[in-house]
Amino acid sequence: MMASSTGPTPTVWNLALAALAMAMSEYFFTLYALATDVYNLLGHVYKIVAYGFLYRGLSASTIAQPYLALQRSQSELQATISTLPDLLFEMDARGVYLAIHARERHALTAPPSELLGRNLQAVMPPDAAQQCFAAMDEARRTGISRGRRIRLPLPQGPRFFELSVVLKPPSGPPDRREPTFLVLSRDVTETVHNEQRIEREARLNAAILDLRDHVDREQESEFFRRGVEHAERLTGSVIGFVHLVHEDQDTIELVSWSSSTLQNYCTATYDRHYPVSRAGIWAEALRQRRAVVFNDYAQAPERRGLPPGHAPLQRLVSLPVVRGDRVELLMGVGNKPEDYTDADVELLQRLADTLWSLVTQRRQQALILRLSQALEQSPYPVLITDTHGAIQYVNRAFTQVSGYEAAEVIGANPRLFQSGQTPPETYAGLWQTLERGQPWEGEFINRRKDGGIYFEKAAIYPIRDESGQLTHYVAHMEDVSLRREVEQRIRNLSDFDPLTGLMNKKAFEERLHSEVHLARSRGEPLSLLWFNLDNFKVVNESLGHPVGDELLVETAHRLREALGPDTALARYAGDSFVALMPRAPQSAVALSARAALQAVQAPLTVRDNLLSVGASVGIAVFPADADSATALVSAAESAMFRMKQEGRNGLRFFSPDLQANTQRSLELAAALKGAIAANELFLVFQPQMALRDGRLTGAEALLRWQHPKWGAVSPAEFIPLAEQTGSIVPIGRWVQRQALRTVRAWDEAGLPPITLAINVSAVQFAQTELVDELCTMARDAGVPPERIEIELTEAVALRDPVAAGKTLQRLHNAGFRLSIDDFGTGYSSLSYLRDFSVNKLKIDRSFVRDIAHDEMARRLVRTMVDMAHALGMTAIAEGVETDEQRAHLQACGCDEIQGFLYSRPLEADAFVAFARANARP
C-alpha cells in the first residue's frame, strides 16, 4: 500500500490560491472610481488569476489524479500477473486466445504471437480442447470452474495442467457485449505423476494379494496365466505371455499366454519347448539378463517375421527373473496404446519377481509334502527346519522317540530337546560345519518330553533351491541309547574298576598323560595324591576277602565324597588309590588330602565288624618333583612309602620344602579355628585421602593375626587358609561386627563422619543371608549403612554376574556403599559394571607401582579413571608410596589415594589421633 501524505494536496493549494485571488479582485473593485483607473485594472487581473488557479485545481482533481491512479493500478496489476508461476489466458466463448500472460513460455504449445487470435482447437489435442470448453461452459453457468485437467504434448515431454476458469464481466456497448473468460493453467505434472505412482502401487499390491490368495488354489499353469493377466491390466497391454527357462539356459518353455491374447489376438501354434536361438527379439531379455523395451516394434533391429496367426506387434516389453547366476522366467506384455515407460517396466519386474517367488515357494512346499509322505513311514526320526532353526516338519518316528506331538514342536526351535549334557563344542562344531555348507554328523544327549535322557545320533545337512539359495536344514536321527548303554558297559569293563566303580590303572594313566601335557602347556602345577590303606593286609587275612572288598568300596566312596565329583580318582592297585588335582596351590592340596584322610579314618561297620583303618598319603607335584607322568607316579608312591616309614596314617609331600610348608599350613589352619576365641585377631585401619584437597575421606579395615607361636601371620597366608577351611565365614562376621563398633566409637569420640571399607570374601558374598546379617549388625551397632563401604574384588563380582548384581542391588537399596577392589587385574566386564550399583573403583597397586616410569601404566590408569567417572563412580588408587606416584595419579584425574605415603594401617586409637591431627575445617 502507498503511504498517505499528511500535508495539503495540490488541488487544495490551487483552490486556496483561487479564493485568495478572487478576494483580492473584489477588494480592488471596491477601490476604483473610474473604469480606466488602476484599481479596476488590478481587480480584473486578480479575477483572471483566480480563474486560472480554479481551473488548475478542478483539472487535477477530476482529470489528472484519476488518470495517474489508473496508471498505477495498471502497473501493479501487470507486476502481479508477471509474478504468477501459472499461465493466464483470456479467451472468448469460441476458444479464441485474446490475451496471454506466461512467464514460463516453454509451457505453451506455441509462442504467444502464434497463439493470439487462434482457436484452442487448432493448438491442442481434441480431448484437451474438449476439457477446456467444458470448463468455460461450467464457468458461464456458475461463474467459476476449477479442477479440470488436460494433458498437452510439449517439446520436453507430455505435461499435465489444472484449469481454473472464471467468467469475465462483459464490456463495451450493450448490443456488442460478448462474454470472455480468464483461464488460469497450473502445471501439475509432478502431482499427477505422484498420484499415478500411488495408483500403480495400489494396483500392484492388489494384484500381489490376489496372487497370494490363489497360489494354493490353482494349477501351476493357471496360476501363471493369472499372473500374466495381472501384468496386462497393470500396464494397459492387450498381449501377455510367460516362459520358463531350463537349467541349460538355452531351452525355453512356453507356459502360458494370457486369455485375451489367445481369444482375440493369437491363433498361431507353437512347440512348447524350443531353443533360445529360435525365439524372437523378446528373448533378448534372456541374453542380456535385463528388461528390453521396443516402443516401435516395426523398426526394431534383428526382428523376425511372425508366424501366421500371431498377433501383430506394435510395442513390446520383455524382462527376466534372475536368481543367482540363472534366468528362471521370462515375462512379456505388448501392444499398449502408448509407449511403455520406465514405470511400466518397474511394475512388471516386481510382479514377475513376486510371481516366481510364489511359484518357488509352492514347489518347495509341495516337495516337502511329498518328502513328508515318504518319511512318515521311516523307522528313524526326521526333522526339517527353516534357515532360522524353526521346526517345519517332524515324522511319526520322531514323535515316538521324543514323546512330543508334531503340533507341540512345529515352529519351535530344536533347543527344546536339549538336556544340558551335550558339550557346547558339539553345537559350535555343528554350526561351523553347516555354515560352510557341509553336512554334519554327531551325537546329542537330548531330553524327552517326560524328562528322560536319551542319546541320539544325527546327520544334519543343508537344503538349497535351484538357484543355490539355502532354504532348509534336514536332520536324520537315530536313538542310540541302548547302543550307548552296551558301549558304556564295555567301556566300564575296560576303563573302570569293577569293584569300586572308580577308574582303573589303565584309564587313570591315560588321563594323567593328558593332564601333564595340559599343565606343561599352561605352565600350571599338577598334584598327584597316592592313598594307601594302612594294615589292609591284616583285615583281608583275618576277616576275609569279602570284608576287605567292602572296605575298599566304602573307602572309594569316602574319597569321592571328600575330594568332590570333579576330581580324577582311581583305584590304582589293591588297596592303593590315586587322585589328580590340577592348578591347586600347595596349601589347598594339603587341606584336601587331610580332609580325605580324616574321612577314611572314620570308624565303620562291615558285616558286624567295627573297623577303623588309617591311610598313608604321598603327594608329588608336577613339574617341581617330576617332569613326566611316569616320574610323577613314582614320586607320589615314594612319598607314600616315606610316610609309612615315619609312622603311617598321615600325609607326606615328596619335596622336603613342600612338606615343611604343608606342616605349617595344616597347623595354621587348625589354629585359625580358635583365633577368635583366643582373641588373636584384631583390626587396623588405613586412611584414605582426597587428592583434590588432602581431606581424610575414609579408611579401610584390615584384618591382622598375632599368633603366640608364629607371631604376626601375614594375611596373604592365613586368608586363603580361612577360605579353604570355611573359617572365613565366622571370621568375616567378626570383622564386620568389630568394624561397626569401631565406627560407633569414632562417632562418640567426635570424629567427623568417616566411611569405613570392609572386605567381603567370595565365600561370604555367595551366602544368601549376607545382606540381612549386615543390616542387623548395623542396626544393633547404631551405625547408618551409608557409613559402611562393602568392598569385594573384581573376580568375586564377576564370578556370577547375575547373582552378584542382585546382591549388590540389595546392599545398595539397604544404604551400604559399594566398591570394587583390585580393579584392572581380572576380566573387566563394562556391561556388568554399568549395571552394578557401585560407588567406587579401586585401582590395583600393580598399576600404581609402575605409573612413575611406565607410560603404558599411566595410560591404563587414566583409562580406568575416565571409565569410573563415566560410570558415575569415584576412582581410588591403593599402594601409593611416593610423591611422584601421587602427582601422576592427580594428573590422571584420580579422586582418592590410599597407601604408605599418606599413612600406614593404624590401630583404632592411633587412627583417632591421626584423624584429629589431619582434620580440616
Side-chain angles (χ1 to χ4, degrees):
M1 296 178 60
M2 297 181 61
S4 61
S5 174
T6 58
T9 65
T11 300
V12 175
W13 279 111
N14 286 316
L15 293 176
L17 291 173
L20 179 62
M22 188 65 72
M24 291 298 295
S25 171
E26 293 298 323
Y27 172 73
F28 283 114
F29 281 144
T30 62
L31 296 179
Y32 82 94
L34 297 175
T36 59
D37 63 15
V38 67
Y39 294 109
N40 186 26
L41 177 63
L42 290 175
H44 284 88
V45 170
Y46 273 106
K47 183 174 287 189
I48 293 171
V49 172
Y51 283 131
F53 281 122
L54 181 62
Y55 173 78
R56 289 187 61 186
L58 294 177
S59 174
S61 61
T62 60
I63 300 174
Q65 289 184 3
Y67 179 75
L68 291 175
L70 178 61
Q71 283 186 322
R72 286 196 299 271
S73 177
Q74 287 179 335
S75 298
E76 291 173 0
L77 178 60
Q78 185 62 42
T80 301
I81 292 174
S82 298
T83 58
L84 283 176
D86 304 324
L87 305 176
L88 181 62
F89 308 98
E90 184 176 356
M91 294 182 178
D92 62 17
R94 296 183 301 276
V96 175
Y97 289 95
L98 303 177
I100 299 173
H101 303 278
R103 191 179 66 175
E104 305 290 342
R105 300 198 173 190
H106 63 271
L108 297 172
T109 57
S113 59
E114 297 180 12
L115 292 177
L116 288 172
R118 298 182 66 184
N119 193 288
L120 60 83
Q121 291 177 310
V123 296
M124 287 187 186
D127 55 344
Q130 183 180 0
Q131 286 293 326
C132 290
F133 282 116
M136 288 189 291
D137 182 65
E138 182 181 4
R140 180 186 296 108
R141 289 183 284 102
T142 64
I144 190 170
S145 172
R146 292 192 182 97
R148 295 181 184 271
R149 290 177 178 176
I150 61 175
R151 180 179 183 271
L152 297 180
L154 299 178
Q156 65 269 30
R159 306 293 292 181
F160 293 87
F161 296 89
E162 186 171 280
L163 304 178
S164 296
V165 182
V166 296
L167 179 66
K168 184 178 178 181
S171 60
D175 58 338
R176 299 182 61 184
R177 291 180 182 178
E178 292 185 4
T180 60
F181 300 89
L182 294 178
V183 181
L184 189 70
S185 177
R186 172 164 294 175
D187 189 336
V188 293
T189 304
E190 295 302 321
T191 301
V192 171
H193 287 171
N194 287 334
E195 292 172 351
Q196 290 174 344
R197 178 182 55 79
I198 294 171
E199 191 268 340
R200 285 196 303 270
E201 288 288 336
R203 290 192 294 120
L204 175 62
N205 291 335
I208 291 174
L209 289 174
D210 180 70
L211 289 175
R212 293 186 185 280
D213 188 49
H214 287 84
V215 64
D216 295 322
R217 300 183 184 181
E218 298 175 336
Q219 296 293 327
E220 187 172 288
S221 60
E222 296 174 350
F223 184 69
F224 272 121
R225 178 168 298 170
R226 178 178 293 274
V228 172
E229 291 171 353
H230 276 303
E232 283 184 342
R233 286 190 289 271
L234 288 173
T235 59
S237 304
V238 295
I239 292 175
F241 61 87
V242 62
H243 287 72
L244 293 179
V245 182
H246 287 198
E247 291 185 8
D248 60 9
Q249 298 292 284
D250 189 55
T251 305
I252 54 179
E253 175 186 353
L254 174 63
V255 178
S256 179
W257 292 97
S258 68
S259 299
S260 64
T261 305
L262 292 175
Q263 293 172 5
N264 305 315
Y265 298 100
C266 186
T267 59
T269 57
Y270 286 94
D271 293 333
R272 287 206 169 264
H273 298 80
Y274 53 95
V276 177
S277 58
R278 288 175 49 197
I281 60 172
W282 57 267
E284 285 297 313
L286 170 59
R287 301 183 185 99
Q288 300 181 23
R289 294 174 177 265
R290 65 177 181 84
V292 293
V293 181
F294 303 100
N295 277 321
D296 188 357
Y297 183 82
Q299 300 301 319
E302 300 182 5
R303 68 182 182 85
R304 300 182 180 182
L306 300 174
H310 194 288
L313 290 176
Q314 289 85 39
R315 298 176 184 86
L316 175 69
V317 175
S318 178
L319 52 79
V321 173
V322 181
R323 292 292 183 268
D325 59 349
R326 293 174 50 191
V327 176
E328 303 287 355
L329 175 144
L330 293 174
M331 177 179 281
V333 292
N335 289 4
K336 180 182 177 181
E338 55 193 18
D339 286 353
Y340 287 103
T341 65
D342 292 341
D344 293 324
V345 174
E346 179 188 0
L347 209 66
L348 190 62
Q349 186 70 66
R350 291 169 61 185
L351 180 71
D353 289 339
T354 302
L355 179 67
W356 178 247
S357 296
L358 292 173
V359 170
T360 302
Q361 180 181 346
R362 169 189 172 131
R363 290 179 177 181
Q364 291 172 350
Q365 291 174 345
L367 176 61
I368 291 176
L369 178 62
R370 290 194 297 271
L371 288 174
S372 66
Q373 292 171 344
L375 294 173
E376 273 301 301
Q377 299 182 22
S378 172
Y380 299 105
V382 177
L383 178 147
I384 301 176
T385 74
D386 63 15
T387 55
H388 301 291
I391 298 173
Q392 293 193 337
Y393 169 79
V394 292
N395 68 348
R396 188 182 299 111
F398 177 89
T399 63
Q400 294 171 349
V401 170
S402 68
Y404 288 95
E405 295 298 327
E408 296 178 287
V409 299
I410 296 299
N413 191 284
R415 286 191 295 268
L416 175 67
F417 317 119
Q418 291 181 2
S419 66
Q421 299 182 30
T422 303
E425 51 268 23
T426 298
Y427 297 112
L430 159 67
W431 285 111
Q432 288 174 2
T433 302
L434 292 180
E435 287 171 359
R436 291 196 301 267
Q438 300 173 349
W440 176 89
E441 291 187 9
E443 286 191 6
F444 300 116
I445 305 175
N446 283 340
R447 188 186 304 277
R448 305 183 204 274
K449 184 179 178 180
D450 62 7
I453 301 298
Y454 67 103
F455 292 86
E456 193 166 53
K457 183 178 180 181
I460 303 176
Y461 50 90
I463 299 296
R464 300 183 181 276
D465 60 17
E466 293 91 342
S467 64
Q469 294 295 314
L470 178 66
T471 60
H472 297 85
Y473 293 107
V474 177
H476 291 268
M477 296 166 287
E478 179 184 2
D479 184 354
V480 294
S481 301
L482 181 60
R483 185 193 305 171
R484 287 296 299 270
E485 290 177 7
V486 173
E487 293 174 351
Q488 187 63 40
R489 284 196 293 269
I490 296 173
R491 189 180 302 111
N492 288 343
L493 293 174
S494 173
D495 296 342
F496 292 88
D497 175 49
L499 178 63
T500 62
L502 300 177
M503 283 190 291
N504 58 23
K505 178 180 179 180
K506 169 181 168 294
F508 180 81
E509 288 181 343
E510 291 175 355
R511 176 72 174 272
L512 175 60
H513 279 84
S514 175
E515 291 289 347
V516 166
H517 176 74
L518 192 60
R520 180 180 286 111
S521 64
R522 293 178 175 175
E524 296 173 342
L526 174 65
S527 300
L528 191 151
L529 290 67
W530 186 299
F531 297 85
N532 184 264
L533 298 181
D534 296 330
N535 300 316
F536 177 73
K537 184 178 180 180
V538 175
V539 174
N540 225 9
E541 292 178 349
S542 61
L543 300 178
H545 289 283
V547 174
D549 288 346
E550 291 189 31
L551 176 59
L552 291 174
V553 171
E554 181 61 24
T555 300
H557 174 70
R558 292 184 177 187
L559 288 174
R560 172 57 70 203
E561 287 290 324
L563 296 175
D566 297 329
T567 301
L569 179 63
R571 182 187 177 199
Y572 201 73
D575 59 344
S576 292
F577 300 86
V578 288
L580 289 176
M581 296 186 67
R583 298 183 299 279
Q586 167 259 331
S587 58
V589 173
L591 291 173
S592 296
R594 171 60 61 85
L597 192 58
Q598 291 173 347
V600 171
Q601 292 170 345
L604 74 157
T605 300
V606 180
R607 298 195 178 190
D608 298 329
N609 297 291
L610 182 62
L611 303 177
S612 179
V613 298
S616 298
V617 186
I619 305 173
V621 181
F622 171 88
D625 300 332
D627 62 355
S628 68
T630 303
L632 191 63
V633 172
S634 298
E637 185 180 21
S638 175
M640 181 272 296
F641 281 123
R642 191 180 309 164
M643 184 65 248
K644 286 186 177 291
Q645 294 171 0
E646 293 175 356
R648 302 176 184 272
N649 202 28
L651 64 91
R652 176 81 186 182
F653 276 82
F654 181 80
S655 168
D657 293 337
L658 288 179
Q659 180 63 28
N661 291 335
T662 299
Q663 187 63 33
R664 173 181 168 86
S665 297
L666 293 174
E667 292 181 10
L668 284 176
L672 194 57
K673 295 179 180 179
I676 296 177
N679 202 27
E680 296 170 1
L681 301 179
F682 64 96
L683 296 181
V684 294
F685 307 90
Q686 187 167 33
Q688 297 172 339
M689 179 189 79
L691 278 174
R692 181 172 57 85
D693 54 11
R695 179 174 49 87
L696 175 66
T697 59
E700 180 181 5
L702 303 172
L703 181 62
R704 296 292 185 263
W705 183 15
Q706 184 69 29
H707 191 273
K709 176 180 177 182
W710 294 293
V713 183
S714 169
E717 185 177 13
F718 74 79
I719 293 296
L721 289 174
E723 291 179 336
Q724 293 163 14
T725 60
S727 301
I728 193 67
V729 175
I731 290 175
R733 294 194 183 103
W734 181 87
V735 169
Q736 291 153 11
R737 290 192 185 94
Q738 290 298 113
L740 287 163
R741 291 170 184 163
T742 303
V743 172
R744 179 58 183 269
W746 288 346
D747 290 346
E748 293 174 350
L751 294 186
I754 295 173
T755 300
L756 183 60
I758 305 174
N759 289 280
V760 175
S761 71
V763 176
Q764 194 173 12
F765 186 74
Q767 294 188 320
T768 56
E769 63 270 18
L770 171 66
V771 180
D772 295 334
E773 289 181 350
L774 284 170
C775 291
T776 301
M777 292 180 193
R779 185 171 57 253
D780 293 345
V783 175
E786 57 267 20
R787 297 284 302 283
I788 301 299
E789 186 172 272
I790 304 301
E791 189 170 293
L792 61 155
T793 65
E794 183 182 13
V796 171
L798 298 178
R799 180 176 298 174
D800 185 353
V802 175
K806 294 179 180 178
T807 302
L808 290 172
Q809 188 61 48
R810 289 184 61 202
L811 289 168
H812 174 78
N813 294 340
F816 293 98
R817 294 178 59 81
L818 304 168
S819 68
I820 299 295
D821 194 9
D822 299 339
F823 185 74
T825 60
Y827 172 73
S828 302
S829 173
L830 299 185
S831 60
Y832 286 121
L833 285 178
R834 178 196 61 194
D835 298 333
F836 289 167
S837 302
V838 176
N839 304 100
K840 186 180 292 185
L841 289 185
K842 181 175 283 188
I843 301 171
D844 188 69
R845 65 180 64 247
S846 61
F847 298 102
V848 176
R849 181 181 61 245
D850 300 331
I851 195 172
H853 55 80
D854 188 343
E855 175 62 26
M856 181 56 68
R858 287 194 290 273
R859 291 180 182 177
L860 290 173
V861 169
R862 186 177 297 108
T863 300
M864 286 186 275
V865 170
D866 290 344
M867 184 182 66
H869 291 165
L871 295 172
M873 304 176 189
T874 301
I876 181 173
E878 63 178 352
V880 182
E881 300 181 356
T882 67
D883 287 321
E884 191 176 8
Q885 291 172 342
R886 178 179 62 181
H888 282 295
L889 288 167
Q890 195 161 10
C892 290
C894 188
D895 303 300
E896 300 175 3
I897 62 170
Q898 173 184 339
F900 286 0
L901 176 65
Y902 187 45
S903 174
R904 292 178 176 272
L906 305 171
E907 294 191 22
D909 294 339
F911 183 87
V912 172
F914 178 88
R916 287 173 174 165
N918 288 272
R920 291 179 179 269

